[in-house]
Amino acid sequence: MSREAGDRGALTRRECVRYGGALVGGGLFAGCIGGSGDDDRGGDRIAAGGSNSSSTSAETSDRTGSKPSQERTSATQGSYEATPKPYGPVSFDEPPNSYATTGGAWTDVGFAFGSEPAAMSRIDPYPTRYYDLLPGVAFDTNGITDLGNPSEYGKEQFYELDVDALLVDRILLASYADWKRKDFEEIGENVAPFCGSYIRNEWSGEALGMDFSFPHYDLPGAVTLAGEIFQQRERATAWTNLHESFRGELRSRAPSKSPSIGLLYSASKPAEGTFMITDPTLAGVATRQYRTFGVENGFVDVDLTDGWKTDYEGLLEADPEYLFFDSTLSMSQENFEKQFVTPLENSEVGSELRAVEQGNVFRGGGRYQGPIINLFVSEVLAKQLYPEQFGEFSAVGKIPQGERLFDRKRVADLINGDFQE
């Protein structure tokens, strides 16, 4: 997709600051990135925006009604606000034409609204292969600025960006790069507003001195927020309608019995007998496909070391019906079996596991998913769990036309701007 340049007219206040800094060289720039160097710990790490709610939103969307099909160009004239939870409102002079992300779920959310990010982290490992499977859709990485590792983010590189919105999770910058509230306020005022909110999984802010927990949005909620940010509420509604219909169809065809899932991180090392466990029932986009089928956490009663690790004895104690290794769908089946399945089969204890005996050790979808990628990983999971109902799974790009569970053309139309029902 290409980014359309807006006919801006007069410079906004943020643009005056940004371009003024470039014109005067290091003077304004040095002043922007300076500071007292105080260590603002505790509650000053990130402003809470007046909210301390720890609850997540329901799996429903806030329908705000439709606008004409040329919604982006006919959006409300003048400034407007969006309110990313839990940080409080941010203001825009006009709908954003460009944005930056850290390369996770918000990249997929942003692309669902019609364009690649102007800048992002993790460009190389980002799963663009899903977009290649959609007709008439291309995710062009050539023009994207690489922001590098989030743990090394500096304010200087943000001042160099020419973007209108930062779909960036502030909690990640606070955690990885030790950003403080004053850093977010400075960049938000002088570059572009921060609009992201951590949606990957449940995460307490206690370690960062915050009195609220994440995520504050489920996937439909994040899409609805993006619709407010980009002033494209009709497209947001079309996305949430598509997902509600898709999930409803999967649930109606799946057996009613809840499967027992043992979800393991890909950093697990079966050859060494070390396993890193996560919970497929956690709130957040990272595990949404598992919650679609009402799975049970197969490791709920296992005693863990370091909060999330176990060994072969721990696996056998739980003995879930299925084992999934998270974020391994990009691996070939051959490499997956060599790294994960064969060591389980060769282990005296591992070979006794139900999932191993029954051939139910599978590649799991990635954790960075928005409204597009979630469709693909949910389709894969349906086929892995219930091949009799949904058809056998071999590879993401090799699902026969008649066995696909969602309409690729409809998804491509939404990305390309045709979102009329």
Side-chain angles (χ1 to χ4, degrees), residues 298-312:
F299 294 136
V300 66
D301 295 322
V302 175
D303 292 330
L304 304 177
T305 60
D306 296 332
W308 56 312
K309 297 178 183 178
T310 192
D311 52 18
Y312 274 113

Side-chain angles (χ1 to χ4, degrees), residues 103 121-129 330 368:
S121 295
R122 309 182 184 96
I123 295 177
D124 289 341
Y126 188 77
T128 59
R129 63 187 180 279
S330 59
Y368 301 110

Side-chain angles (χ1 to χ4, degrees), residues 51-305:
S51 171
N52 64 355
S53 170
S54 62
S55 61
T56 61
S57 56
E59 290 283 350
T60 57
S61 61
D62 179 15
R63 302 275 197 287
T64 55
S66 297
K67 290 191 175 185
S69 59
Q70 298 299 319
E71 186 176 15
R72 183 164 189 160
T73 58
S74 64
T76 304
Q77 298 298 312
S79 62
Y80 64 94
E81 288 187 345
T83 306
K85 298 177 182 180
Y87 303 112
V90 294
S91 62
F92 296 91
D93 297 315
E94 60 185 355
N97 283 314
S98 60
Y99 63 94
T101 76
T102 54
W106 283 103
T107 302
D108 197 50
V109 174
F111 191 56
F113 282 80
S115 66
E116 310 93 335
M120 64 181 284
S121 295
R122 309 182 184 96
I123 295 177
D124 289 341
Y126 188 77
T128 59
R129 63 187 180 279
Y130 294 111
Y131 306 140
D132 295 337
L133 301 175
L134 299 172
V137 170
F139 188 95
D140 184 6
T141 61
N142 291 326
I144 299 177
T145 298
D146 189 348
L147 292 176
N149 191 321
S151 66
E152 300 173 355
Y153 276 0
K155 287 185 287 186
E156 296 92 339
Q157 65 198 110
F158 281 84
Y159 272 103
E160 295 173 358
L161 296 179
D162 182 17
V163 296
D164 305 317
L166 298 168
L167 298 185
V168 173
D169 310 324
R170 280 179 252 195
I171 192 172
L172 292 183
L173 291 190
S175 177
Y176 293 163
D178 201 33
W179 279 40
K180 313 297 193 299
R181 181 175 62 184
K182 62 184 181 182
D183 300 320
F184 293 105
E185 290 174 346
E186 177 184 326
I187 298 302
E189 175 68 20
N190 296 329
V191 178
F194 284 91
C195 307
S197 180
Y198 188 81
I199 59 175
R200 191 193 316 168
N201 51 259
E202 296 178 23
W203 190 9
S204 171
E206 182 178 355
L208 300 176
M210 298 182 292
D211 59 355
F212 49 81
S213 300
F214 288 84
H216 276 269
Y217 294 96
D218 57 14
L219 184 55
V223 169
T224 299
L225 173 62
E228 295 172 359
I229 292 168
F230 291 110
Q231 292 289 278
Q232 296 188 56
R233 294 182 178 88
E234 186 179 1
R235 179 153 25 185
T237 298
W239 275 113
T240 54
N241 286 345
L242 173 64
H243 271 267
E244 288 176 2
S245 174
F246 176 61
R247 294 186 98 199
E249 176 69 13
L250 294 182
R251 287 167 170 162
S252 69
R253 293 173 58 185
S256 59
K257 181 180 180 295
S258 299
S260 171
I261 299 293
L263 186 57
L264 301 160
Y265 284 116
S266 59
S268 300
K269 298 179 180 180
E272 299 177 12
T274 58
F275 301 93
M276 300 178 182
I277 286 176
T278 186
D279 183 352
T281 69
L282 288 175
V285 298
T287 54
R288 188 172 193 256
Q289 70 271 33
Y290 297 103
R291 297 197 313 278
T292 292
F293 294 99
V295 305
E296 296 177 355
N297 178 13
F299 294 136
V300 66
D301 295 322
V302 175
D303 292 330
L304 304 177
T305 60

Side-chain angles (χ1 to χ4, degrees), residues 316 319 345 349-361:
L316 187 58
D319 200 18
E345 293 174 337
V349 178
S351 61
E352 297 180 24
L353 293 166
R354 270 192 301 174
V356 175
E357 291 178 339
Q358 298 172 9
N360 290 334
V361 181

